[in-house]
Amino acid sequence: MVLIVFVMVLIALYWSTGKVHDAKCTIRESLTRLHTYSQEGELIIGEISSFVSTTADQMDFNEPPNDMVYDTPFVRTSHYQYALALAFAVEEINKNLQFLPNVTLGFHIRDIYMNERESYRATMQLLSTKNRFIPNYKCDFRSNLIAVIGGAEAKTSLYIATVLSLYNIPQSHSLRFLPHVDFLQLAYASTSLMQEIFSGVFMYQMVANEAQQYKGILQFILHFRWVWIGLIVADDERGERCQRVMLPLFSQNGICLAFTAKIRQALMITFEMMTNGWQSYEKLMESRADVVVLFGDTGSISYFRWALRSFELELTTVKPKGKVYIMTIQMDFASYFYQRNWDNTIFHGTIGLTVHTQEPPGFQQFLQRKKPFGNKGDGFIREFWEQAFLCQFSDSRVQMGFDKVCTGQEKMESLPGDVFEMSMTGTSYSIYNAVYAIAHALRDLSSSPGGHRRKPKRTKPNLFHRPSWQLHHFLKRVSFNNSAGETISFYPSGEANPRYDIVNWHIFQNRSFFKVKIGEVHPEAPADQMLTIHEESITWNSWFNNTKPLSVCTQSCHPGSRKERKEGEPFCCYDCKQCPGGKISNWKDADDCFQCSEGQYPNDDQNGCLPKGLNFLSYRETLGIVLAVLSLSLSLSTSVVLGIFIKHQNTPIVKANNRDLTYSLLVSLLLCFLSSLLFIGQPDQVTCKLRQTAFGIIFAVAVSSVLAKTITVVLVFMATKPGSKIRSWVGKRLSNAIILSSTLVQVSICMIWLYTDPPFPDVDFHSLAVEIILKCNEGSSNMFFYILGYMGFLALVCFTVAFLARNLPDTFNEAKFITFSMLVFCSVWVSFVPTYLSTKGKYMVAVEIFSILASSTGLLGCIFLPKCYVILLRPELNDKKQLMRNRKGREI
């Protein structure tokens, strides 16, 4: 008896470890699931999908579940490709007998009916015996589940992880493992929520998390310089998380939000949701933002499409207008059968981020072979077929009311892109690569020490009873080239190479829909290398006339102006103010204007700098030529007068006016005219030191000569009085003493000036807006005005003496002429000072030259012109007897 019991225990133990292949067990209650897709194999990969939406009884787990009862199913026909990608990868691996020899992979796909909480039941069903809902008990060892792929949505992945973690089973964003487990779970959602909750679990990710795509969206927006955008997010915790992350990110990079709105995820629309929808629609269409970022999922885009029909349904009077929608990878443009006739051209030109994809060879041929008949394990294909081709099978469980009858010969490649795509999508590509990653890890595990049985008679690798946590060691090091030619591997962080494709949606009036790849996002790259974009491949919405939209709150301030922020509005809204004089801005939307560098000046539009010209009185310009010719002409005139006086030096009129003083005055006037030439031309060291000092000394000689003549006239008449002692003062010595002493004072002032702070060539960048003044810096301006002041003092003394002597009775009395000449001289130099100080550049020099010429001409004309008239035109008056007769006549 004891022996029998012992044998039975051994048999039970042997059977429980899978050693006996004939052992069977029976569980009476079964659970029929209509929407499943199964293919048997020795090693099973499970998948949690969400293809079908329907209303079904809620499972409360208070009693064993019965067969599911549901009403009209709504199939996301485009998502059916996810299941086919898994089936295609498994088929390829099984056909390659060298890949996993003597091992056949299978798969079980369970649908959660777009109800995230259904993830619990679907996951537990995968953990149960086939078609039985009894977790923790495996009656059929052939259902050897080694991995679970699932979690197209973030919350779905979380629910799957919650169940598997109870069994200490690994779960992750795409691939995650826990030690000491019996199963492996893979999810292809893009989320950071999993990392937040299961931060202590090592994660393998086929798809980068949400934070990575935020970077890509930001770089895309910055690339096109869009700063005024709208943000529409899902009305759930993911939408809240998106706002928390994106709003500061936008603000830090100079992007403002024109509006924010929330959209719900719903298949059937209630009145409340319609009200919310058209309010969001009005906010969207009335906004000046041409670019709108949409963050949500496939259910959100379905609701958003309802909202965009508000005008068509006469819920609002706001007409639709084109926008550039930027969609995240979770938002798949999938049409239900009742949306097939909706006008979707408003989405034409949409930019979407998608999971990176390549086309594995043979995938489209695999799709073309799929038919609704002869697929016993596929519980999705019939309803997919009906709602994709809008036809009805005669034996359909649910009558959808389609007019056509399905023949089964319809071709998938004829379907619009929003119904089903023949090219492998990014999510399907991730599933495809995930299956191959597990297969490569299984192959490495089978070839590792301990991977084969010790018994040489067994040919199958011992993979059926190896715990799947052992795959972690091999999976984290896996690296292979898939059939599309890309290398698949994982970073130490557990992520596969994160990479997004950027696609452009083309939607036309005939309902045709397709995507064009226009670039890529590499989140791990530096910011300036993160984005690769081919702008020439982008088709924009026809609303923008196929040109890139601006999407700004305010039209850009053109170069030459600056931004001025508007009170109470976001920083992206501003007025444009013209730059103040002398400043420029040479780029759009400048925050401030700035000065040009020295040697440059703003152009007329104040958007650039031009090199300044040189400003000095040149012999090549008209003004310089005129003044030079005038100076030489007056010099020549003075020389002629001097020649006349020398030629007629013995005539009474010349003798009577003191020939020596006359010659001295004429020579000094000649030098005065010539000294003006020192002011013309580019200043240098010599001319700067000579021009003012020579002018001051020569004019001192001229004025002191006039003063000597005036004093001599006065003294001569005073000496004619009887008993006058002044006669001894009259003579050359007095005249020479006056000239010499007066000139020495001016020479002393000039010498002190040259010694202490002499003039020097200088450059003035700032006095004139468009020219650089080349000038002589006077060094000490006080010394220059001392020279002018002393010269004015001599002229004033001369004028006073001449004025007092104007009525002396003598035909040759020059006092009247000297008085008038001094009046002209003083008038010129009094007006010179304010004029000189109010002008700049070459005109300042011209003013001084004109003053020199005018005052010298005044002396020359007023003193010598009457004498030349008498000498040349009235020689009869230049006779001593005639002069004496005229004098006596006046005395009588």
Side-chain angles (χ1 to χ4, degrees):
M1 185 67 179
V2 175
L3 181 60
I4 294 174
V5 173
F6 179 72
V7 171
M8 291 179 65
V9 171
L10 287 178
I11 292 173
L13 290 173
Y14 191 66
W15 166 77
S16 65
T17 56
K19 308 288 183 170
V20 179
H21 294 269
D22 298 328
K24 303 289 183 182
C25 63
T26 302
I27 300 178
R28 294 179 182 178
E29 294 84 3
S30 65
L31 181 64
T32 302
R33 300 286 288 183
L34 297 177
H35 297 104
T36 64
Y37 189 178
S38 299
Q39 177 179 311
E40 296 306 324
E42 296 166 311
L43 298 177
I44 300 298
I45 298 176
E47 180 178 350
I48 305 296
S49 65
S50 186
F51 304 153
V52 183
S53 177
T54 186
T55 303
D57 297 334
Q58 290 292 329
M59 175 177 281
D60 54 15
F61 294 95
N62 291 325
E63 58 184 17
N66 298 317
D67 291 353
M68 185 173 183
V69 178
Y70 63 90
D71 54 16
T72 303
F74 297 90
V75 180
R76 287 179 180 170
T77 51
S78 61
H79 288 198
Y80 179 55
Q81 193 191 94
Y82 304 166
L84 298 181
L86 174 61
F88 175 65
V90 169
E91 179 181 286
E92 279 191 333
I93 294 170
N94 288 337
K95 284 183 177 180
N96 187 348
L97 301 180
Q98 303 302 317
F99 196 94
L100 286 176
N102 300 316
V103 175
T104 302
L105 292 182
F107 59 85
H108 291 170
I109 301 176
R110 299 289 183 267
D111 197 84
I112 61 172
Y113 298 94
M114 300 184 193
N115 184 349
E116 291 156 343
R117 295 185 179 276
E118 281 284 332
S119 305
Y120 293 127
R121 175 160 65 175
T123 304
M124 295 182 70
Q125 189 175 7
L126 286 174
L127 298 175
S128 303
T129 298
K130 180 181 177 183
N131 293 331
R132 276 75 173 173
F133 192 79
I134 304 179
N136 302 326
Y137 184 77
K138 286 189 177 182
C139 186
D140 187 353
F141 71 90
R142 288 176 298 177
S143 295
N144 196 353
L145 184 67
I146 60 166
V148 176
I149 299 176
E153 308 295 348
K155 193 176 291 186
T156 304
S157 297
L158 175 61
Y159 292 156
I160 296 171
T162 302
V163 174
L164 296 182
S165 63
L166 297 176
Y167 295 87
N168 206 21
I169 296 174
Q171 191 274 341
S172 76
H173 183 68
S174 280
L175 290 173
R176 182 156 79 198
F177 299 86
L178 293 172
H180 309 298
V181 298
D182 292 324
F183 301 99
L184 174 67
Q185 197 271 336
L186 300 87
Y188 45 85
S190 174
T191 177
S192 58
L193 182 64
M194 299 295 295
Q195 292 174 319
E196 296 173 7
I197 297 177
F198 294 96
S199 59
V201 180
F202 196 89
M203 178 181 290
Y204 294 93
Q205 295 177 278
M206 301 300 295
V207 179
N209 59 42
E210 289 174 6
Q212 301 286 14
Q213 67 172 324
Y214 295 153
K215 296 180 184 179
I217 292 173
L218 175 65
Q219 291 301 319
F220 187 83
I221 293 173
L222 292 176
H223 175 82
F224 288 104
R225 301 179 185 274
W226 293 327
V227 296
W228 186 244
I229 65 173
L231 178 63
I232 299 178
V233 299
D235 190 9
D236 56 20
E237 68 275 9
R238 286 182 305 148
E240 294 291 341
R241 186 168 59 253
C242 174
Q243 285 185 292
R244 287 197 306 269
V245 175
M246 292 298 286
L247 295 186
L249 203 59
F250 285 155
S251 179
Q252 292 166 12
N253 288 273
I255 301 171
C256 300
L257 287 183
F259 68 91
T260 58
K262 294 184 178 180
I263 51 176
R264 303 180 184 181
Q265 176 177 347
L267 179 66
M268 304 303 295
I269 306 300
T270 65
F271 178 77
E272 177 188 357
M273 295 172 68
M274 292 180 68
T275 303
N276 176 267
W278 83 62
Q279 290 174 349
S280 299
Y281 166 84
E282 290 180 347
K283 182 185 292 187
L284 169 65
M285 294 305 165
E286 290 174 351
S287 172
R288 289 177 296 168
D290 291 328
V291 176
V292 180
V293 177
L294 299 178
F295 181 88
D297 51 30
T298 305
S300 301
I301 191 64
S302 180
Y303 175 70
F304 186 63
R305 292 173 68 185
W306 271 105
L308 291 179
R309 298 188 69 218
S310 298
F311 179 77
E312 181 183 345
L313 298 174
E314 299 182 352
L315 299 175
T316 179
T317 58
V318 179
K319 293 183 179 181
K321 61 180 181 180
K323 302 283 184 181
V324 175
Y325 298 102
I326 302 176
M327 295 192 177
T328 57
I329 64 173
Q330 296 90 345
M331 301 195 79
D332 185 17
F333 195 82
S335 290
Y336 293 104
F337 70 89
Y338 59 84
Q339 297 174 314
R340 295 281 286 277
N341 294 323
W342 290 8
D343 183 9
N344 296 315
T345 54
I346 195 170
F347 290 102
H348 179 62
T350 292
I351 307 295
L353 261 66
T354 65
V355 180
H356 172 69
T357 184
Q358 286 287 357
E359 187 73 20
F363 181 65
Q364 293 196 20
Q365 291 78 3
F366 174 80
L367 297 180
Q368 292 169 358
R369 293 197 303 269
K370 293 295 292 184
K371 298 298 178 183
F373 306 117
N375 290 277
K376 184 177 181 181
D378 190 348
F380 297 103
I381 192 168
R382 287 173 62 87
E383 289 179 350
F384 159 79
W385 207 269
E386 289 181 333
Q387 297 190 25
F389 293 102
L390 302 180
C391 61
Q392 191 85 44
F393 290 106
S394 57
D395 58 345
S396 293
R397 183 185 295 263
V398 179
Q399 295 298 316
M400 302 297 295
F402 299 132
D403 296 332
K404 291 193 306 180
V405 177
C406 296
T407 64
Q409 300 304 314
E410 293 83 3
K411 298 183 181 298
M412 283 190 178
E413 56 266 31
S414 67
L415 294 172
D418 59 332
V419 177
F420 189 83
E421 294 185 64
M422 292 298 290
S423 299
M424 182 172 278
T425 64
T427 302
S428 297
Y429 189 62
S430 296
I431 295 172
Y432 177 83
N433 288 328
V435 173
Y436 265 95
I438 293 176
H440 277 274
L442 285 171
R443 186 175 65 174
D444 294 342
L445 175 63
S446 67
S447 61
S448 66
H452 293 279
R453 292 179 182 269
R454 294 182 180 179
K455 295 181 180 181
K457 295 181 180 181
R458 300 287 293 180
T459 58
K460 287 190 177 183
N462 186 18
L463 296 175
F464 308 116
H465 300 284
R466 299 290 297 274
S468 60
W469 62 265
Q470 293 183 4
L471 287 176
H472 166 65
H473 175 72
F474 298 95
L475 189 60
K476 69 180 181 180
R477 297 185 301 176
V478 74
S479 179
F480 62 94
N481 292 330
N482 63 16
S483 60
E486 292 194 328
T487 301
I488 307 300
S489 60
F490 296 100
Y491 290 153
S493 61
E495 291 186 5
N497 185 13
R499 184 170 160 192
Y500 298 114
D501 289 342
I502 306 174
V503 297
N504 186 207
W505 293 6
H506 294 192
I507 304 175
F508 301 101
Q509 294 291 346
N510 61 1
R511 305 294 192 269
S512 60
F513 171 96
F514 61 94
K515 300 175 183 177
V516 176
K517 182 177 177 180
I518 58 172
E520 291 184 354
V521 176
H522 300 266
E524 299 298 322
D528 58 340
Q529 302 174 17
M530 185 182 300
L531 186 70
T532 301
I533 191 76
H534 307 291
E535 292 189 42
E536 69 280 359
S537 302
I538 301 177
T539 298
W540 303 104
N541 192 291
S542 56
W543 178 269
F544 305 109
N545 297 320
N546 292 320
T547 59
K548 183 187 72 173
L550 296 178
S551 196
V552 292
C553 177
T554 305
Q555 291 296 322
S556 294
C557 293
H558 297 293
S561 60
R562 62 179 178 84
K563 296 190 296 186
E564 185 173 80
R565 185 171 177 179
K566 293 181 179 179
E567 285 293 329
E569 295 197 28
F571 61 85
C572 295
C573 302
Y574 46 81
D575 293 321
C576 296
K577 297 293 184 182
Q578 189 68 24
C579 287
K583 291 187 175 184
I584 70 160
S585 62
N586 53 5
W587 62 82
K588 289 185 177 181
D589 295 330
D591 293 320
D592 202 0
C593 303
F594 59 91
Q595 297 276 2
C596 289
S597 60
E598 285 192 346
Q600 294 182 321
Y601 70 96
N603 59 14
D604 293 338
D605 296 327
Q606 292 182 272
N607 58 6
C609 294
L610 300 175
K612 287 185 175 182
L614 299 179
N615 182 288
F616 64 92
L617 190 58
S618 170
Y619 288 107
R620 296 182 178 180
E621 60 180 301
T622 303
L623 181 59
I625 293 172
V626 169
L627 291 176
V629 170
L630 185 60
S631 174
L632 293 174
S633 300
L634 291 172
S635 300
L636 181 61
S637 300
T638 305
S639 301
V640 171
V641 172
L642 180 60
I644 293 173
F645 270 72
I646 292 175
K647 182 178 180 181
H648 299 85
Q649 60 181 333
N650 294 320
T651 60
I653 196 169
V654 175
K655 291 181 178 179
N657 286 280
N658 197 330
R659 286 179 300 186
D660 294 336
L661 287 178
T662 298
Y663 296 156
S664 174
L665 178 58
L666 286 172
V667 171
S668 62
L669 288 177
L670 174 63
L671 294 177
C672 283
F673 288 128
L674 293 175
S675 69
S676 63
L677 297 176
L678 293 173
F679 292 84
I680 304 176
Q682 184 171 341
D684 55 33
Q685 289 286 350
V686 176
T687 57
C688 284
K689 290 180 178 179
L690 285 179
R691 58 170 57 171
Q692 300 293 5
T693 54
F695 150 72
I697 293 172
I698 294 170
F699 256 84
V701 173
V703 176
S704 60
S705 298
V706 175
L707 179 61
K709 287 172 68 69
T710 306
I711 293 175
T712 300
V713 170
V714 173
L715 291 177
V716 167
F717 279 96
M718 292 178 65
T720 58
K721 293 180 181 180
S724 176
K725 298 180 180 180
I726 301 177
R727 184 181 297 273
S728 59
W729 289 89
V730 178
K732 291 183 178 180
R733 289 183 298 174
L734 177 62
S735 300
N736 293 336
I738 292 173
I739 294 174
L740 184 61
S741 60
S742 299
T743 304
L744 282 176
V745 174
Q746 189 75 300
V747 170
S748 300
I749 296 173
C750 291
M751 295 302 293
I752 294 172
W753 184 13
L754 291 176
Y755 180 76
T756 56
D757 194 2
F760 59 90
D762 195 9
V763 178
D764 182 1
F765 291 98
H766 307 294
S767 295
L768 296 180
V770 299
E771 291 180 308
I772 302 172
I773 299 175
L774 300 182
K775 66 177 184 176
C776 286
N777 191 311
E778 307 302 347
S780 174
S781 298
N782 292 333
M783 298 303 294
F784 172 64
F785 287 106
Y786 290 160
I787 290 176
L788 290 180
Y790 179 71
M791 196 168 60
F793 168 74
L794 292 178
L796 184 60
V797 171
C798 184
F799 173 76
T800 302
V801 174
F803 181 78
L804 294 176
R806 71 187 185 280
N807 293 322
L808 292 175
D810 188 8
T811 302
F812 299 105
N813 181 14
E814 295 181 294
K816 292 181 181 180
F817 301 121
I818 292 173
T819 301
F820 189 70
S821 67
M822 285 297 102
L823 182 62
V824 173
F825 184 89
C826 292
S827 299
V828 169
W829 288 105
V830 168
S831 61
F832 161 77
V833 175
T835 307
Y836 181 81
L837 296 177
S838 61
T839 55
K840 297 176 181 178
K842 60 186 177 183
Y843 298 106
M844 178 183 286
V845 177
V847 166
E848 187 167 359
I849 295 174
F850 178 79
S851 299
I852 293 172
L853 297 178
S855 59
S856 300
T857 303
L859 293 176
L860 179 67
C862 293
I863 295 176
F864 295 102
L865 188 60
K867 297 177 177 60
C868 291
Y869 172 77
V870 171
I871 294 172
L872 298 176
L873 300 179
R874 300 292 299 272
E876 70 275 9
L877 298 178
N878 192 10
D879 181 78
K880 187 174 182 180
K881 292 181 180 180
Q882 182 65 28
L883 292 174
M884 293 302 293
R885 188 182 303 117
N886 291 340
R887 177 181 178 185
K888 289 179 180 179
R890 284 196 298 270
E891 288 177 351
I892 294 172

